[in-house]
Amino acid sequence: MDWLERAAELRQWTRNGTRAPHKPLLFLYALGRFQQDADGELRYSAVENDLKRLLDEYGPPHKTTPAYPFHHLASDGVWEVRTDRGPGSPGSGIRELRAVGAAGRLAPELRAALRREPSLLGRMTRLLLDLHFPPSLHAELCASVGLEPEPAEPERLSAVVRRRRDPRMREQVLTAYEYRCAFCGYDGRIGALPVGLEAAHVRWWAFGGPDDVGNGLCLCSLHHKLFDKGVLGIGWGSPRSWGSPRSSEAESGGEAESGKGHRILVSQRFVGHSPAAREHVTALAGRPLIGPQPGTRPVAAAHCSWHADQVFHGSPRPATAS
């Protein structure tokens, strides 16, 4: 049995690039707990808050419940559930899982494989991260689930993750934005080499986002992380249409595709009281993007729309008075 292929083929809700990371997050959490206690079980009532926190932090903007993956992951052959009454899950209802003492853990065959081949845990972790989350969140997410994976062999993953990243994208995106953060203008270098600047995917690579300038932004490390966490986003047109790129595009006569009118969105859910938080985050609300240089394709409307629907959290703050 190829456990990497099984992990790569988790059955999830898929429609128009909708994010449904419920099963991958539970799977990663279970791998982390296996690493700490290979024989332990995860009682739903005891881990519910942990799983809810993971979904709130790394899941899509809309509300969701950890009961769904706790029940449904068993259908993928990598997870099992038992209750006080015996084997099997009572369903995906929160009350039912609590009432019957539902507990889950990795499937027996998978636990045996992980014991026989300890490096499998690292490869499986890397696969789940690459398929479902942007690289800027990988280390943080591993820490959140208590995982310390060994480095995975890229050649072992390439047959399962059938897409390869284009190594030219970073240079193309940084050149398009003239080596400046599109949000704050940061342009630091050590000698001739840029430092602290990254090429961010607007539509995540894990969800079909292409490796090209029309799906990229040059961002400093801070703003890249905040963009991938849904604190920051991109809108255009009038403020009332921010977060709805398609309506904004129609309203602005196609300005979205020409690159004019792109504005920075800051989530109202973000809280920061320090002068640094105000200067580097909240003060960005409503500011125009810096770049790209003339003659370069701006971020495509479809990718902005995906980010607004699947990553950006809450409603945008009103534009900050200049």
Side-chain angles (χ1 to χ4, degrees), residues 66-298:
Y68 174 88
F70 202 93
H71 167 72
H72 288 287
L73 186 60
S75 66
D76 293 284
V78 298
W79 175 254
E80 65 175 4
V81 178
R82 68 161 189 83
T83 70
D84 295 338
R85 302 169 185 168
S89 171
S92 58
I94 296 174
R95 292 180 181 177
E96 291 83 353
L97 289 168
R98 291 172 179 167
V100 298
R105 61 180 177 174
L106 299 175
E109 298 87 351
L110 177 54
R111 298 200 308 273
L114 290 169
R115 289 188 177 97
R116 285 194 309 271
E117 189 181 0
S119 65
L120 176 61
L121 188 144
R123 298 199 304 274
M124 191 168 283
T125 297
R126 181 59 53 197
L127 176 72
L128 291 167
L129 292 171
D130 284 344
L131 287 176
H132 302 285
F133 305 96
S136 68
L137 302 183
H138 288 184
E140 177 186 309
L141 184 46
C142 281
S144 294
V145 298
L147 267 170
E148 296 181 6
E150 296 296 323
E153 303 95 325
E155 63 275 10
R156 291 290 304 275
L157 298 181
S158 61
V160 180
V161 183
R162 292 176 176 85
R163 294 177 62 214
R164 288 181 179 271
R165 294 180 183 270
D166 186 342
R168 299 170 297 177
M169 180 189 174
R170 179 178 183 275
E171 185 62 27
Q172 291 170 347
V173 170
L174 267 60
T175 298
Y177 285 84
E178 302 180 281
Y179 295 87
R180 292 183 299 171
C181 175
F183 287 173
C184 69
Y186 168 81
D187 61 354
R189 293 173 180 263
I190 293 181
L193 297 176
V195 60
L197 288 171
E198 301 166 357
H201 283 72
V202 178
R203 183 186 181 108
W204 293 355
W205 184 88
F207 288 84
D211 287 328
D212 60 39
V213 173
N215 185 42
L217 287 173
C218 176
L219 296 178
C220 67
S221 301
L222 171 64
H223 291 135
H224 187 179
K225 174 64 73 68
L226 296 178
F227 187 66
D228 284 344
K229 293 280 281 189
V231 172
L232 301 175
I234 307 173
W236 57 78
S238 65
R240 67 182 177 82
S241 60
W242 287 351
S244 179
R246 290 180 181 176
S247 63
S248 300
E249 180 185 1
E251 189 177 274
S252 60
E255 286 184 345
E257 294 299 343
S258 69
K260 300 176 181 178
H262 283 75
R263 299 278 173 172
I264 302 169
L265 306 183
V266 179
S267 172
Q268 287 187 334
R269 295 184 184 178
F270 175 80
V271 177
H273 301 295
S274 67
R278 290 195 296 271
E279 178 184 355
H280 297 300
V281 185
T282 54
L284 298 177
R287 285 186 187 175
L289 257 62
I290 301 170
Q293 59 180 293
T296 303
R297 279 188 303 142

Side-chain angles (χ1 to χ4, degrees), residues 33-74:
R33 294 294 290 267
F34 176 87
Q35 201 172 43
Q36 299 166 28
D37 179 5
D39 296 314
E41 288 187 323
L42 306 179
R43 198 169 183 88
Y44 180 78
S45 58
V47 301
E48 181 180 1
N49 286 337
D50 282 352
L51 297 175
K52 186 175 184 305
R53 175 182 53 80
L54 286 172
L55 284 167
D56 287 345
E57 192 162 356
Y58 300 102
H62 54 270
K63 291 184 178 179
T64 187
T65 168
Y68 174 88
F70 202 93
H71 167 72
H72 288 287
L73 186 60

